[in-house]
Amino acid sequence: MKKVVRGFYAVAYSVKLCRPSVICAYPITPQTEIVENLAQMYADGELENCEYITAESEFGAASILVGASAAGARVFTATCSQGLILMSEILFNAAGLRLPIVLVNTNRALSAPLSIWNDHQDFMVLRDAGIIQVHVENNQEVHDMIPQAYKIAEDKKVLLPFMICMDGFKLTHAYEPIDLLEQETVDSFLPPYKPEYYLTTKKPIAMGCYAPPPFYMEFRVAMQNAMLRAKEIMRKVFREWAEVSGRDWGEHLAVDYPNSRIMVVAMGSIVAPLRKVVKELRSEGLDVGLVKIRTYRPFPVEDVQKELGSSEKIIVLDRSVSFGYEGPLSIDLKAALFGRSVEFYSYIVGLGGRDTSKDFLASIIRNVAHNKEKPGWAFKGYKEFEEVIP
Amino acid sequence: MKELRTDAWVQWCPGCGNYGILSALQKALIDINRDFSIVGGIGCSSRIVYYLKGSFNVHTLHGRAIPVASGIKLSKPELLVIVSGGDGDILGIGAGHFLALGRRNLDLKVFIHDNAVYGLTKGQAGPTLPLNVKLKAMPYANVHDAINPILLAFVSGYTFIARAYAYHIRELKEIMKEAMKHRGAAVVDILQPCTTYNDLMTREWFEERIYYMDSIPDRSKLFEKMLEKEKIPLGIFFKEEKETFEERLKKAKLYKQS
């Protein structure tokens, strides 16, 4: 059933269809309306066997979910920016506890200066947490991703938190026609969550115990093994989803015009305008293609090598900074393509909601194609200014 | 009269209690005539840091105004340091810091813009909203009980505790001045209508209930006054001279020598 809805609703409706047992959150722009929609469904009696709790902070919200998930509940939260990094202590912990918490992050810049607008700095903080991280391009993709997230996170070979990253405002507030899933479709795809290990008096276990040096490392190795296994399980679930829903979003990467001389790499909502730009530039005669990173953690090294290993020039559009180095996505891609003779043009764009128009994106690609740029990294799209603290 | 207002555009809804608080604060600061610093958290209230010319004002993170202000006060003891934040900021996400300040009795002035809602995120229940109340933006009635900021301040150890009303600028100014003159941790719970989201605790609602206490209540009557609900007492509840955190730290440093 196609319906014109906002990004918030596309998320909330899909979460409802996944039959969660506990939803807990704290308001933060531009996430709030996701959980407001869920609270409304709760009040309307549409969320069966589910409890909805407004916590006292994101720290509280994530902690409540750790408890609920440990007790065997399917759980959900949404947050972003300061809220996500306030949750970070608990989310690192949840990954170590191997709890399949699913959360949606509505990507937003970090303070200071205070900004509520979209970029990718917030989720980068959680990059190394042991949390599966998938990025979506539009609201249909996030709607579709939620049942897949539960299926992957709850797979007994995985059992890790799963974070879906969608761009704040650009997607959350946007109205789009969404093909809303049917309950039967989700029920047939996603079985109820029945963990083997959870807090129960029938088979008592303890969680989060102290692991001194002779024990700690093995737990972390096990987490990494789970992440690497997740790569294959995700591939399988993505394929299965394409069959179930009739919508094929690709696997870890989605590629337009493979094996082009110039490949543009990006993630998130910027991919949508880029797709049009790339198509237009090809009609100008430029040999350019596009790689959308869907799975950012586990990082799909093999897929990256296959799709980008033989290109001549790679343009990476990062929307965050690893201060003192360069864009994090660019760093990861360079590591994955170590030893290949490929030139990197790594640009950091669109911080704190700075506009990245089609013309702006086209000019970046044209300049690289016409050899007007040297390989390396740079910020693009900022005004010249004088630093107050030189 | 020393002009303290900046030329920043004031971004509050028409009729917001924050205007009264801003006015009273400006007048109190002019009378007190000290160098000051205002520290805000996150929320509608915390925008006040942009509107008054402090020595330096800081817009901190959600809930963290009290610890940041503590750092400022400890490194610049000569400043009058004011914390402005909503009930969500100070008694919700930042509640732990609120307790810690009471225990320390550091010389900070905490002005709670208490409207019982999260206004900036569009009307969720704040920590001072009574149980079972449903406001217009909420899908169902509040399932949390309300914090009593006056009681919480008392058990935390604040040495100056008062309640005021945002639309009574003259009285609010006088209470703020008393708080500023006090040595130690002072809190003023400022009742404030949110004209956009709190459709229960309106101007009429408050003005039917509030009354001013004649004097600081006697110890034997203190809890009764703090717990009063049908009518809402305004004024100073509690005031005590006690060793400040600054004095305690000085003593700790000299501990070995003595």
Side-chain angles (χ1 to χ4, degrees):
Chain A
M1 179 186 50
K2 272 216 170 160
K3 208 173 158 191
V4 176
V5 297
R6 293 177 103 183
F8 306 116
Y9 189 81
V11 173
Y13 192 78
S14 193
V15 169
K16 181 185 91 163
L17 298 181
C18 292
R19 303 184 187 277
S21 303
V22 178
I23 300 168
C24 188
Y26 186 80
I28 182 165
T29 307
Q31 170 286 119
T32 312
E33 281 184 56
I34 293 176
V35 293
E36 275 187 335
N37 272 292
L38 286 163
Q40 188 64 55
M41 293 167 186
Y42 180 72
D44 295 343
E46 292 173 30
L47 285 164
E48 282 172 54
N49 304 317
C50 178
E51 293 306 333
Y52 178 93
I53 304 133
T54 307
E56 62 279 18
S57 66
E58 287 87 356
F59 199 89
S63 302
I64 288 170
L65 292 190
V66 163
S69 183
R74 176 173 288 166
V75 301
F76 178 78
T77 190
T79 188
C80 65
S81 187
Q82 305 306 129
L84 181 72
I85 62 173
L86 186 59
M87 276 188 185
S88 65
E89 183 182 356
I90 298 102
L91 292 177
F92 271 80
N93 185 242
L97 291 170
R98 308 295 296 274
L99 299 174
I101 293 170
V102 170
L103 68 149
V104 166
N105 188 60
T106 58
N107 312 333
R108 170 184 142 178
L110 289 182
S111 191
L114 176 58
S115 167
I116 57 169
W117 302 102
N118 164 239
D119 70 25
H120 288 178
Q121 199 73 50
D122 56 357
F123 62 72
M124 284 299 175
V125 178
L126 275 289
R127 189 187 64 173
D128 302 333
I131 298 174
I132 294 172
Q133 211 180 89
V134 167
H135 293 261
V136 298
E137 173 185 348
N138 57 39
N139 290 338
Q140 183 72 60
E141 192 177 9
V142 73
H143 184 70
D144 283 8
M145 188 53 73
I146 287 160
Q148 299 179 73
Y150 281 109
K151 188 155 184 163
I152 295 160
E154 292 170 1
D155 190 301
K156 64 179 183 184
K157 289 185 183 150
V158 179
L159 290 176
L160 289 169
F162 196 117
M163 176 160 71
I164 302 169
C165 300
M166 69 189 291
D167 285 335
F169 290 102
K170 289 178 176 162
L171 298 185
T172 53
H173 287 60
Y175 284 91
E176 283 183 62
I178 301 296
D179 197 350
L180 293 174
L181 292 162
E182 302 291 336
Q183 185 66 65
E184 303 82 71
T185 314
V186 176
D187 284 345
S188 68
F189 173 78
L190 179 67
Y193 177 43
K194 288 212 175 89
E196 271 182 49
Y197 303 101
Y198 65 106
L199 300 178
T200 166
T201 50
K202 291 180 187 108
K203 195 178 159 189
I205 55 164
M207 284 191 183
C209 303
Y210 175 56
F215 299 105
Y216 182 88
M217 193 165 172
E218 285 71 18
F219 285 94
R220 309 309 271 187
V221 173
M223 273 169 74
Q224 172 75 340
N225 290 345
M227 266 284 182
L228 298 179
R229 281 196 297 272
K231 266 195 217 181
E232 290 318 307
I233 287 158
M234 289 169 87
R235 227 186 276 280
K236 210 177 82 198
V237 172
F238 291 160
R239 290 266 60 88
E240 189 189 342
W241 185 258
E243 276 171 37
V244 168
S245 69
R247 285 182 292 274
D248 189 349
W249 296 101
E251 292 185 354
H252 296 308
L253 311 177
V255 187
D256 284 15
Y257 314 109
N259 305 317
S260 300
R261 205 170 63 81
I262 302 169
M263 293 301 280
V264 183
V265 189
M267 52 191 186
S269 64
I270 200 173
V271 170
L274 272 172
R275 188 167 282 131
K276 290 194 175 131
V277 167
V278 165
K279 196 174 172 192
E280 283 163 23
L281 291 176
R282 288 186 72 86
S283 68
E284 285 176 20
L286 297 190
D287 186 12
V288 55
L290 175 66
V291 171
K292 162 184 164 185
I293 305 274
R294 298 184 72 223
T295 311
Y296 185 50
R297 280 297 180 275
F299 195 66
V301 178
E302 303 78 8
D303 308 61
V304 164
Q305 287 167 346
K306 178 169 162 272
E307 297 295 345
L308 293 167
S310 55
S311 42
E312 287 172 32
K313 294 179 174 186
I314 294 175
I315 303 173
V316 191
L317 298 175
D318 258 298
R319 302 200 50 217
S320 60
V321 192
S322 175
F323 289 96
Y325 201 176
E326 55 171 281
L329 178 58
S330 171
I331 297 168
D332 284 334
L333 288 167
K334 283 178 179 175
L337 297 173
F338 179 72
R340 314 268 175 143
S341 60
V342 50
E343 287 178 352
F344 268 92
Y345 299 80
S346 305
Y347 301 125
I348 295 161
V349 302
L351 299 186
R354 181 64 53 88
D355 201 15
T356 50
S357 69
K358 272 175 65 193
D359 289 345
F360 168 76
L361 298 171
S363 75
I364 286 178
I365 300 169
R366 270 198 208 98
N367 286 343
V368 171
H370 297 141
N371 301 318
K372 286 184 187 157
E373 294 278 357
K374 286 194 183 106
W377 76 271
F379 288 102
K380 291 283 179 191
Y382 69 95
K383 301 185 283 279
E384 290 300 326
F385 65 101
E386 208 170 304
E387 285 179 55
V388 180
I389 307 168
Chain B
M1 191 165 89
K2 205 169 132 196
E3 184 50 72
L4 287 182
R5 282 289 294 278
T6 63
D7 52 8
W9 175 51
V10 180
Q11 271 184 310
W12 287 320
C13 303
C16 177
N18 281 330
Y19 289 100
I21 298 173
L22 174 61
S23 247
L25 183 56
Q26 181 187 358
K27 287 172 198 288
L29 286 166
I30 289 167
D31 285 1
I32 291 285
N33 196 23
R34 282 179 60 187
D35 287 338
F36 65 94
S37 163
I38 306 178
V39 185
I42 296 289
C44 301
S45 57
S46 304
R47 301 194 57 85
I48 205 164
V49 301
Y50 299 131
Y51 307 143
L52 290 173
K53 290 178 193 157
S55 299
F56 52 90
N57 295 347
V58 190
H59 200 165
T60 66
L61 302 175
H62 195 22
R64 313 304 157 202
I66 287 175
V68 172
S70 302
I72 292 173
K73 182 67 189 176
L74 288 170
S75 58
K76 292 229 180 295
E78 70 281 9
L79 276 181
L80 168 63
V81 182
I82 293 160
V83 172
S84 260
D87 53 299
D89 199 74
I90 290 174
L91 303 172
I93 195 167
H97 304 306
F98 182 76
L99 305 192
L101 175 58
R103 292 179 59 213
R104 293 191 182 115
N105 196 31
L106 179 66
D107 192 13
L108 292 183
K109 314 301 152 197
V110 180
F111 296 151
I112 306 175
H113 301 222
D114 182 355
N115 61 6
V117 291
Y118 288 95
L120 201 63
T121 49
K122 298 183 287 189
Q124 296 82 12
T128 56
L129 189 71
L131 179 66
N132 292 328
V133 167
K134 183 190 169 309
L135 302 180
K136 67 184 193 191
M138 295 164 54
Y140 51 90
N142 190 17
V143 291
H144 291 85
D145 215 334
I147 283 178
N148 179 333
I150 303 292
L151 259 183
L152 187 64
F154 183 74
V155 297
S156 305
Y158 283 78
T159 51
F160 180 100
I161 303 166
R163 188 190 281 134
Y165 176 56
Y167 286 168
H168 287 178
I169 295 171
R170 208 176 312 128
E171 292 79 358
L172 173 57
K173 174 192 116 176
E174 291 308 320
I175 291 174
M176 282 177 162
K177 276 167 66 179
E178 288 303 311
M180 289 171 186
K181 285 182 206 156
H182 176 75
R183 278 175 62 258
V187 60
V188 183
D189 178 32
I190 307 168
L191 304 176
Q192 172 205 5
C194 171
T195 48
T196 304
Y197 291 110
N198 196 329
D199 51 348
L200 170 74
M201 296 147 110
T202 59
R203 175 177 203 152
E204 294 70 32
W205 189 91
F206 278 121
E207 292 180 8
E208 276 167 18
R209 285 167 178 76
I210 52 172
Y211 74 93
Y212 286 91
M213 297 182 284
D214 300 331
S215 57
I216 300 179
D218 190 68
R219 269 287 175 118
S220 62
K221 292 267 189 295
L222 187 57
F223 278 100
E224 209 178 292
K225 281 285 165 206
M226 287 178 168
L227 289 167
E228 236 177 87
K229 264 183 185 168
E230 299 303 309
K231 290 282 173 186
I232 306 172
L234 302 180
I236 300 167
F237 283 83
F238 180 75
K239 209 173 140 179
E240 184 186 34
E241 286 297 322
K242 205 175 180 182
E243 202 176 29
T244 63
F245 195 56
E246 298 89 319
E247 288 159 355
R248 297 179 209 173
L249 287 178
K250 206 177 272 172
K251 228 163 68 180
K253 253 191 267 184
L254 299 174
Y255 181 68
K256 261 202 178 157
Q257 288 152 18
S258 65

